[in-house]
PDB file of all heavy atoms in Angstrom:
ATOM      1  N   PHE C 145      95.755  99.876  85.137  1.00  0.00           N
ATOM      2  CA  PHE C 145      95.911  98.554  85.737  1.00  0.00           C
ATOM      3  C   PHE C 145      95.230  97.460  84.909  1.00  0.00           C
ATOM      4  O   PHE C 145      95.479  96.277  85.124  1.00  0.00           O
ATOM      5  CB  PHE C 145      95.378  98.548  87.178  1.00  0.00           C
ATOM      6  CG  PHE C 145      93.919  98.881  87.316  1.00  0.00           C
ATOM      7  CD1 PHE C 145      92.945  97.916  87.172  1.00  0.00           C
ATOM      8  CD2 PHE C 145      93.532 100.181  87.602  1.00  0.00           C
ATOM      9  CE1 PHE C 145      91.602  98.223  87.305  1.00  0.00           C
ATOM     10  CE2 PHE C 145      92.204 100.506  87.744  1.00  0.00           C
ATOM     11  CZ  PHE C 145      91.229  99.526  87.591  1.00  0.00           C
ATOM     12  N   VAL C 146      94.373  97.850  83.964  1.00  0.00           N
ATOM     13  CA  VAL C 146      93.780  96.894  83.024  1.00  0.00           C
ATOM     14  C   VAL C 146      94.596  96.831  81.745  1.00  0.00           C
ATOM     15  O   VAL C 146      94.840  95.756  81.186  1.00  0.00           O
ATOM     16  CB  VAL C 146      92.312  97.268  82.713  1.00  0.00           C
ATOM     17  CG1 VAL C 146      91.728  96.346  81.650  1.00  0.00           C
ATOM     18  CG2 VAL C 146      91.466  97.212  83.980  1.00  0.00           C
ATOM     19  N   LEU C 147      95.027  98.002  81.270  1.00  0.00           N
ATOM     20  CA  LEU C 147      95.752  98.058  80.007  1.00  0.00           C
ATOM     21  C   LEU C 147      97.146  97.448  80.111  1.00  0.00           C
ATOM     22  O   LEU C 147      97.627  96.832  79.151  1.00  0.00           O
ATOM     23  CB  LEU C 147      95.848  99.511  79.545  1.00  0.00           C
ATOM     24  CG  LEU C 147      96.448  99.758  78.166  1.00  0.00           C
ATOM     25  CD1 LEU C 147      95.657  99.024  77.096  1.00  0.00           C
ATOM     26  CD2 LEU C 147      96.494 101.246  77.864  1.00  0.00           C
ATOM     27  N   ALA C 148      97.803  97.610  81.257  1.00  0.00           N
ATOM     28  CA  ALA C 148      99.174  97.115  81.403  1.00  0.00           C
ATOM     29  C   ALA C 148      99.289  95.612  81.143  1.00  0.00           C
ATOM     30  O   ALA C 148     100.133  95.187  80.336  1.00  0.00           O
ATOM     31  CB  ALA C 148      99.718  97.478  82.788  1.00  0.00           C
ATOM     32  N   PRO C 149      98.494  94.761  81.791  1.00  0.00           N
ATOM     33  CA  PRO C 149      98.627  93.324  81.478  1.00  0.00           C
ATOM     34  C   PRO C 149      98.227  92.964  80.052  1.00  0.00           C
ATOM     35  O   PRO C 149      98.785  92.021  79.476  1.00  0.00           O
ATOM     36  CB  PRO C 149      97.691  92.658  82.501  1.00  0.00           C
ATOM     37  CG  PRO C 149      96.774  93.720  82.959  1.00  0.00           C
ATOM     38  CD  PRO C 149      97.535  94.993  82.879  1.00  0.00           C
ATOM     39  N   ILE C 150      97.292  93.721  79.467  1.00  0.00           N
ATOM     40  CA  ILE C 150      96.921  93.462  78.078  1.00  0.00           C
ATOM     41  C   ILE C 150      98.094  93.748  77.149  1.00  0.00           C
ATOM     42  O   ILE C 150      98.387  92.974  76.222  1.00  0.00           O
ATOM     43  CB  ILE C 150      95.695  94.309  77.684  1.00  0.00           C
ATOM     44  CG1 ILE C 150      94.468  93.884  78.487  1.00  0.00           C
ATOM     45  CG2 ILE C 150      95.411  94.197  76.191  1.00  0.00           C
ATOM     46  CD1 ILE C 150      93.226  94.714  78.227  1.00  0.00           C
ATOM     47  N   LEU C 151      98.795  94.857  77.397  1.00  0.00           N
ATOM     48  CA  LEU C 151      99.959  95.197  76.582  1.00  0.00           C
ATOM     49  C   LEU C 151     101.058  94.149  76.711  1.00  0.00           C
ATOM     50  O   LEU C 151     101.683  93.768  75.712  1.00  0.00           O
ATOM     51  CB  LEU C 151     100.493  96.570  76.991  1.00  0.00           C
ATOM     52  CG  LEU C 151      99.601  97.775  76.678  1.00  0.00           C
ATOM     53  CD1 LEU C 151     100.199  99.038  77.276  1.00  0.00           C
ATOM     54  CD2 LEU C 151      99.409  97.944  75.184  1.00  0.00           C
ATOM     55  N   VAL C 152     101.296  93.693  77.928  1.00  0.00           N
ATOM     56  CA  VAL C 152     102.322  92.663  78.125  1.00  0.00           C
ATOM     57  C   VAL C 152     101.912  91.365  77.432  1.00  0.00           C
ATOM     58  O   VAL C 152     102.745  90.686  76.804  1.00  0.00           O
ATOM     59  CB  VAL C 152     102.555  92.431  79.632  1.00  0.00           C
ATOM     60  CG1 VAL C 152     103.467  91.238  79.861  1.00  0.00           C
ATOM     61  CG2 VAL C 152     103.157  93.672  80.274  1.00  0.00           C
ATOM     62  N   LEU C 153     100.645  91.027  77.533  1.00  0.00           N
ATOM     63  CA  LEU C 153     100.161  89.794  76.897  1.00  0.00           C
ATOM     64  C   LEU C 153     100.365  89.834  75.384  1.00  0.00           C
ATOM     65  O   LEU C 153     100.811  88.849  74.779  1.00  0.00           O
ATOM     66  CB  LEU C 153      98.675  89.605  77.230  1.00  0.00           C
ATOM     67  CG  LEU C 153      98.002  88.357  76.646  1.00  0.00           C
ATOM     68  CD1 LEU C 153      98.593  87.097  77.237  1.00  0.00           C
ATOM     69  CD2 LEU C 153      96.491  88.414  76.889  1.00  0.00           C
ATOM     70  N   ILE C 154     100.071  91.000  74.778  1.00  0.00           N
ATOM     71  CA  ILE C 154     100.142  91.093  73.319  1.00  0.00           C
ATOM     72  C   ILE C 154     101.584  91.271  72.842  1.00  0.00           C
ATOM     73  O   ILE C 154     102.084  90.494  72.013  1.00  0.00           O
ATOM     74  CB  ILE C 154      99.255  92.257  72.818  1.00  0.00           C
ATOM     75  CG1 ILE C 154      97.781  91.973  73.123  1.00  0.00           C
ATOM     76  CG2 ILE C 154      99.449  92.463  71.314  1.00  0.00           C
ATOM     77  CD1 ILE C 154      96.849  93.119  72.769  1.00  0.00           C
ATOM     78  N   PHE C 155     102.254  92.310  73.364  1.00  0.00           N
ATOM     79  CA  PHE C 155     103.542  92.697  72.790  1.00  0.00           C
ATOM     80  C   PHE C 155     104.725  91.936  73.375  1.00  0.00           C
ATOM     81  O   PHE C 155     105.803  91.937  72.782  1.00  0.00           O
ATOM     82  CB  PHE C 155     103.767  94.206  72.980  1.00  0.00           C
ATOM     83  CG  PHE C 155     102.817  95.062  72.195  1.00  0.00           C
ATOM     84  CD1 PHE C 155     101.724  95.648  72.808  1.00  0.00           C
ATOM     85  CD2 PHE C 155     103.002  95.263  70.840  1.00  0.00           C
ATOM     86  CE1 PHE C 155     100.836  96.434  72.094  1.00  0.00           C
ATOM     87  CE2 PHE C 155     102.126  96.046  70.116  1.00  0.00           C
ATOM     88  CZ  PHE C 155     101.036  96.630  70.732  1.00  0.00           C
ATOM     89  N   THR C 156     104.539  91.288  74.517  1.00  0.00           N
ATOM     90  CA  THR C 156     105.646  90.534  75.112  1.00  0.00           C
ATOM     91  C   THR C 156     105.461  89.032  74.926  1.00  0.00           C
ATOM     92  O   THR C 156     106.350  88.345  74.406  1.00  0.00           O
ATOM     93  CB  THR C 156     105.775  90.872  76.614  1.00  0.00           C
ATOM     94  OG1 THR C 156     105.975  92.271  76.773  1.00  0.00           O
ATOM     95  CG2 THR C 156     106.949  90.118  77.226  1.00  0.00           C
TER      96      THR C 156
END
Side-chain angles (χ1 to χ4, degrees):
F145 61 85
V146 175
L147 186 58
I150 295 177
L151 292 174
V152 172
L153 180 65
I154 295 175
F155 293 101
T156 302

